[in-house]
């Protein structure tokens, strides 16, 4: 049986490690672009769903670009610092869609006044303007997030869509999986007069309260997380919502 010196073994191992690392790096680079494209498509799909435009992921980008021709980036005081219209950056340096929402929410919660979050504006063919904004929070086990669509009065909820990282299937996971839960938010309002009140998720509310929806059965902590997410998340946009006047039309044409 042939014996190898320690030097040979060390060199062989080092070369093998380099080769494997190079192969893995190459595979990672090849997969990164498709992964990024899927993330973008999924985000566009959720924004469209919030605006009641249901589409599969493969078709999301095309429909999004037709309908959401205007994106703006706003600060918590309502100042518009970024605007992207019809494929062109008109204000600021960063396209609102490209903002890292998770990082911006962290900045906002830490008191950073430079935090910027996107507003996606959709003027439907029926003349209804829809404002879609992101929200993020924490459920029972992990992060939860979603998009809230408001009608042209910037008060009435048109629709919501939620997702989560690890809520319990059949319980907290129903924020995404049970259509009746997001449907219960439709028509609710986030203002009472001039005061922002959000929409709370509570037990045994009933359908008639304009600012509350029924909590998920057996998922109290996740329901509380959604309630807190909406309250803190929508609060960021309140100054902008209050400033809305004479919204420019950006009609979606099929």
């Amino acid at each position: 049986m042939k014996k190898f010196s320690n030097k040979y073994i060390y060199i062989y191992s080092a070369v093998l490690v380099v080769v494997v690392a190079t192969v893995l790096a190459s595979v990672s680079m090849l997969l990164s672009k498709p992964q990024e494209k899927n993330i973008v498509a999924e985000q566009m799909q959720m924004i469209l769903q919030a605006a009641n435009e249901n589409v599969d992921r493969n078709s999301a980008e095309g429909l999004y670009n037709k309908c959401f021709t205007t994106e703006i980036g706003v600060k918590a005081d309502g100042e518009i610092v970024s605007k992207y219209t019809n494929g062109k950056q008109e204000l600021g340096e960063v396209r609102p869609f490209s903002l890292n929402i998770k990082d911006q929410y962290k900045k906002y919660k830490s008191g950073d006044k430079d935090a910027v979050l996107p507003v996606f504006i959709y003027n439907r063919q029926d003349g209804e303007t829809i404002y879609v904004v992101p929200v993020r929070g924490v459920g029972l086990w992990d992060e939860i997030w979603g998009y809230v669509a408001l009608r042209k009065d910037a008060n009435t909820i048109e629709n919501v869509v939620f997702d989560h990282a690890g809520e319990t299937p059949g319980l907290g996971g129903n924020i995404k999986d049970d259509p009746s839960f997001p449907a219960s938010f439709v028509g609710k309002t986030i203002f009472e007069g001039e005061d922002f009140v959000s929409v709370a998720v509570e037990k045994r509310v009933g359908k008639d309260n304009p600012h509350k929806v029924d909590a998920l059965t057996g998922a109290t902590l996740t329901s509380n997380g959604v309630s807190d997410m909406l309250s803190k998340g929508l609060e960021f946009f309140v100054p902008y919502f209050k400033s809305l006047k004479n919204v420019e039309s950006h009609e979606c044409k099929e």
Side-chain angles (χ1 to χ4, degrees):
M1 185 175 181
K2 187 175 181 179
K3 294 184 178 180
F4 296 100
S5 66
N6 288 339
K7 182 178 180 181
Y8 176 88
I9 294 172
Y10 293 148
I11 294 174
Y12 178 83
S13 299
V15 171
L16 183 62
V17 168
V18 171
V19 170
V20 171
T22 302
V23 171
L24 291 175
S26 299
V27 171
S28 178
M29 289 180 64
L30 289 172
L31 293 177
S32 62
K33 288 187 177 180
Q35 288 174 340
E36 290 175 4
K37 188 174 181 180
N38 285 336
I39 291 172
V40 167
E42 183 177 12
Q43 184 177 349
M44 289 179 172
Q45 183 185 31
M46 287 188 71
I47 294 169
L48 285 163
Q49 288 174 341
N52 282 318
E53 295 287 354
N54 292 317
V55 62
D56 62 54
R57 189 179 301 178
N58 292 332
S59 305
E61 185 173 1
L63 185 59
Y64 176 89
N65 290 333
K66 286 181 180 179
C67 298
F68 286 91
T69 55
T70 298
E71 307 164 1
I72 62 171
V74 302
K75 289 186 175 182
D77 62 0
E79 180 187 3
I80 298 173
V81 295
S82 177
K83 186 176 183 180
Y84 182 88
T85 305
N86 294 318
K88 295 181 180 180
Q89 189 74 25
E90 295 186 351
L91 176 66
E93 298 180 355
V94 179
R95 178 182 175 182
F97 184 89
S98 300
L99 289 167
N100 188 314
I101 295 172
K102 182 177 179 179
D103 288 347
Q104 293 301 318
Y105 261 113
K106 284 183 178 179
K107 289 175 65 175
Y108 169 54
K109 290 179 180 178
S110 70
D112 190 333
K113 295 182 179 179
D114 289 327
V116 179
L117 287 171
V119 179
F120 306 98
I121 303 172
Y122 172 22
N123 260 31
R124 293 191 314 216
Q125 289 182 331
D126 63 2
E128 181 71 49
T129 300
I130 303 297
Y131 301 94
V132 179
V133 297
V135 289
R136 294 192 71 91
V138 180
L140 172 60
W141 302 112
D142 211 324
E143 291 183 311
I144 56 177
W145 61 90
Y147 290 91
V148 178
L150 298 177
R151 296 172 188 165
K152 66 172 64 176
D153 62 1
N155 180 29
T156 307
I157 292 179
E158 170 72 10
N159 196 23
V160 299
V161 58
F162 299 127
D163 206 343
H164 62 90
E167 299 307 288
T168 307
L171 297 174
N174 281 340
I175 64 171
K176 175 184 179 182
D177 299 330
D178 183 354
S180 67
F181 182 66
S184 65
F185 288 86
V186 176
K188 301 295 183 180
T189 53
I190 64 172
F191 286 95
E192 187 168 19
E194 291 297 314
D195 298 325
F196 170 69
V197 294
S198 187
V199 177
V201 184
E202 299 179 2
K203 292 181 179 179
R204 294 181 290 277
V205 169
K207 297 181 179 181
D208 296 332
N209 192 306
H211 310 301
K212 295 181 180 181
V213 301
D214 281 324
L216 290 166
T217 302
T220 300
L221 294 181
T222 303
S223 297
N224 291 344
V226 172
S227 190
D228 187 62
M229 173 176 71
L230 292 173
S231 177
K232 293 180 179 178
L234 292 175
E235 185 178 36
F236 179 96
F237 299 98
V238 167
Y240 170 71
F241 291 152
K242 287 186 174 182
S243 73
L244 287 174
K245 291 181 181 180
N246 301 321
V247 179
E248 184 180 355
S249 176
H250 301 276
E251 186 174 2
C252 171
K253 297 180 180 179
E254 295 292 342

